[in-house]
Amino acid sequence: MTPEEFRRQAHALADWMADYLRDVGSLPIVPRSEPGQVRRALPARPPEAGEPFERITADFRELIVPGMTHWNHPGWFGYFPANHSPPSILAEMLTATLGAQCMSWQTSPAATELEQVVMDWLRGMLGLPDTFSGVIQDTASTATLVALLTARDAASGPLERLTVYASAEAHSSVAKGARLAGFGPERLRTVPVDGTFAMDAAALAAMVAEDMAAGLVPACVVATAGTTSSTAMDPLREIAEVCRRYAVWLHVDAAYAGSAAILPERRALFDGVELADSFVFNPHKWLLTNFDCSAYFVRDVPALLRTFATSPSYLRTTNDPDVVNYRDWGIQLGRRFRALKLWFVIRSYGVEGLRAMLRRHIAMAETFRGWVESEPGFVVPAPSPFGLVCLRHEPVELAGDAPRLDDWNRGVLERVNASRDVFLTHTTLGGRYTIRMAVGQWQTGPEDVERAWRRIVEAAAIERNKLHGVP
Ligand code: PLP
């Protein structure tokens, strides 16, 4: 493809992209495709000769797009959002066009220095002290693994005696990271949670003391600021005090909720985060930045480098003593130019614009919560400090019958999602099947939240009629 042909195709694709962003709300959120359908529609072998670009883009529109789940549909309320925004998309186009490898300062000086600048901006926005240094990782899972590996190497004891602590509500990436970092399954301690699903800091203190008395070496506590099931906030200050007392690495996983630390009125929820050793949150969840972009902050950079720095001769440069080489700040060598999209996003919206977006989502979630709480038969089983509201429908006919109530809520959720114009997901909270409504898609408006609530109420009424044999 010549540069002129590229220009023509790029203009056509830009038109498709703008139409898609405008019209995505009219598409079914979840595709109608059956397992294997897309694969069967595609040839089993690659073409020997190159195909016309128009034919490829036509297949993209006709075979691929209808098989996609549209996370950026305004009726998206599932999982946590995986947001993007027009400035972020445009920056991704530029990143792809530059095609740069950003592993070292020398391989892309501007990429390294822009990453330093935007991570410093973010640190200030979050209210983290400037003793933290930032690096962009691909995902929170990777960042947590990086923290666990660093904590493992910084601990003073043999691997088989090191222990890790996380609450029963911590994300599955913590157990996965602990396993990958070589901590035996019996060395990952599950700390109980209180009635709000937040870590019980007193129980943590007792477990750490008990383990030390038994000759074990507590290496890392992973606290969660905004759990996946219900956005519970572990008490960071109390946990940090335990970690300080026993010299244990504290990693804070704020994958989703961390964005809300830029809101002055929500910052108190993160009190104590400044005492952590490392902190991660995902701008790719709730800060308008395309996946993947995970902001990892660490206090002890020399400890990080001791775990991750390598210096093969082919990568060494004369600038090394004076520059940051981000390849030494994580697992991968090759790195995408992820800082560019973050820079575009922060400059396009400004910090106030980003705050306004978060406040809009939180306000819609609060309104939704009010509707659920005032509707007979519905319960809200957990606090909802951000954009996520958990709910269950508990009709009187099934009162006290937990297994049937679980099936009942599963049925309600499946009926809601069958509409394909809203999409919610579920979790298990306190052992009970629970519906999650996560408001956070950038194009979502009050009418979308209202539609979701209408679908839930209608689905519950239909299920109830079925229970009473009403057709
Ligand atoms: N930690 C928490 C609290 C999460 O909610 C999630 C995902 O929802 C993750 C970690 C994993 O995030 P990632 O997909 O960036 O690895």
Side-chain angles (χ1 to χ4, degrees):
M1 192 183 281
T2 63
E4 280 317 308
E5 174 65 359
F6 174 84
R7 185 189 312 281
R8 199 172 65 75
Q9 298 294 356
H11 281 281
L13 287 183
D15 283 340
W16 182 88
M17 288 187 249
D19 291 348
Y20 173 77
L21 293 178
R22 185 193 58 204
D23 300 336
V24 60
S26 62
L27 298 176
I29 300 180
V30 182
R32 294 181 195 283
S33 48
E34 298 294 325
Q37 189 177 325
V38 175
R39 195 170 178 191
R40 276 193 302 276
L42 299 169
R45 276 181 294 282
E48 287 297 328
E51 298 183 60
F53 199 71
E54 281 79 2
R55 199 187 301 159
I56 304 171
T57 53
D59 281 352
F60 166 74
R61 283 193 304 270
E62 286 153 30
L63 299 178
I64 304 300
V65 177
M68 293 299 290
T69 296
H70 298 286
W71 283 66
N72 40 35
H73 190 293
W76 180 271
F77 301 108
Y79 306 102
F80 282 133
N83 253 322
H84 66 175
S85 59
S88 171
I89 296 167
L90 294 171
E92 282 283 57
M93 288 163 63
L94 297 181
T95 291
T97 305
L98 291 169
Q101 245 287 10
C102 307
M103 55 196 176
S104 311
W105 180 87
Q106 178 165 287
T107 63
S108 284
T112 298
E113 295 186 20
L114 186 63
E115 186 160 337
Q116 291 177 295
V117 168
V118 291
M119 293 308 280
D120 285 355
W121 285 5
L122 274 186
R123 184 183 60 207
M125 288 161 64
L126 297 165
L128 287 177
D130 56 15
T131 42
F132 280 94
S133 301
V135 55
I136 303 178
Q137 307 282 0
D138 54 7
T139 58
S141 304
T142 300
T144 294
L145 174 59
V146 165
L148 286 163
L149 290 164
T150 314
R152 179 198 67 186
D153 292 354
S156 48
L159 180 57
E160 61 279 8
R161 282 207 268 134
L162 304 184
T163 49
V164 175
Y165 306 78
S167 92
E169 291 290 319
H171 189 261
S172 54
S173 56
V174 179
K176 191 193 236 184
R179 192 170 73 221
L180 293 175
F183 298 97
E186 70 293 350
R187 295 287 181 250
L188 173 61
R189 302 281 191 254
T190 303
V191 185
V193 293
D194 64 17
T196 67
F197 304 100
M199 185 189 281
D200 177 343
L204 169 72
M207 289 166 94
V208 169
E210 205 174 297
D211 282 343
M212 289 181 77
L216 297 169
V217 182
C220 187
V221 173
V222 181
T224 312
T227 58
T228 313
S229 282
S230 70
T231 61
M233 294 293 288
D234 287 350
L236 299 182
R237 182 165 294 282
E238 289 171 53
I239 294 170
E241 279 160 11
V242 175
C243 291
R244 287 271 159 117
R245 196 178 324 142
Y246 297 106
V248 184
W249 186 286
L250 171 58
H251 173 62
V252 176
D253 173 5
Y256 158 76
S259 296
I262 72 168
L263 295 174
E265 68 274 22
R266 285 287 185 284
R267 185 58 179 75
L269 291 170
F270 296 85
D271 176 52
V273 68
E274 51 282 358
L275 303 174
D277 295 286
S278 53
F279 173 85
V280 64
F281 88 104
N282 285 348
H284 70 228
K285 278 188 162 59
W286 203 18
L287 214 59
L288 297 177
T289 308
N290 278 71
F291 188 84
D292 50 0
C293 184
S294 207
Y296 180 61
F297 292 92
V298 62
R299 189 190 295 280
D300 188 347
V301 173
L304 180 77
L305 296 178
R306 276 196 296 279
T307 295
F308 292 102
T310 53
S311 189
S313 112
Y314 87 103
L315 291 175
R316 267 178 238 148
T317 72
T318 48
N319 293 310
D320 286 351
D322 307 316
V323 298
V324 161
N325 286 319
Y326 277 126
R327 67 166 194 267
D328 292 336
W329 291 52
I331 294 165
Q332 59 192 109
L333 168 63
R335 306 180 77 248
R336 298 183 67 232
F337 187 5
R338 298 193 189 93
L340 193 69
K341 56 191 169 188
L342 209 42
W343 191 53
F344 270 46
V345 165
I346 298 171
R347 291 187 62 186
S348 295
Y349 292 93
V351 182
E352 264 315 317
L354 294 171
R355 289 191 184 120
M357 180 270 300
L358 296 169
R359 286 182 180 128
R360 201 163 47 80
H361 290 151
I362 292 171
M364 287 191 279
E366 280 171 356
T367 302
F368 177 86
R369 183 185 171 111
W371 295 335
V372 182
E373 283 176 329
S374 52
E375 185 73 20
F378 281 89
V379 292
V380 178
S384 45
F386 307 106
L388 174 73
V389 181
C390 291
L391 65 146
R392 282 200 288 263
H393 185 230
E394 301 195 341
V396 280
E397 295 89 331
L398 302 182
D401 189 342
R404 281 188 75 197
L405 279 170
D406 286 354
D407 285 346
W408 179 269
N409 279 281
R410 196 174 292 115
V412 170
L413 180 59
E414 280 169 12
R415 191 173 285 284
V416 168
N417 286 343
S419 72
R420 294 177 202 271
D421 63 7
V422 296
F423 181 78
L424 286 75
T425 51
H426 75 279
T427 189
T428 303
L429 206 51
R432 304 285 308 281
Y433 187 96
T434 302
I435 299 172
R436 293 167 80 262
M437 167 89 180
V439 184
Q441 209 291 321
W442 65 287
Q443 303 206 70
T444 295
E447 65 285 1
D448 303 299
V449 178
E450 271 175 50
R451 187 172 67 255
W453 177 232
R454 219 173 38 245
R455 296 267 178 262
I456 294 167
V457 173
E458 283 165 6
I462 293 172
E463 292 293 319
R464 207 140 178 236
N465 283 344
K466 267 176 39 194
L467 191 69
H468 292 287
V470 180

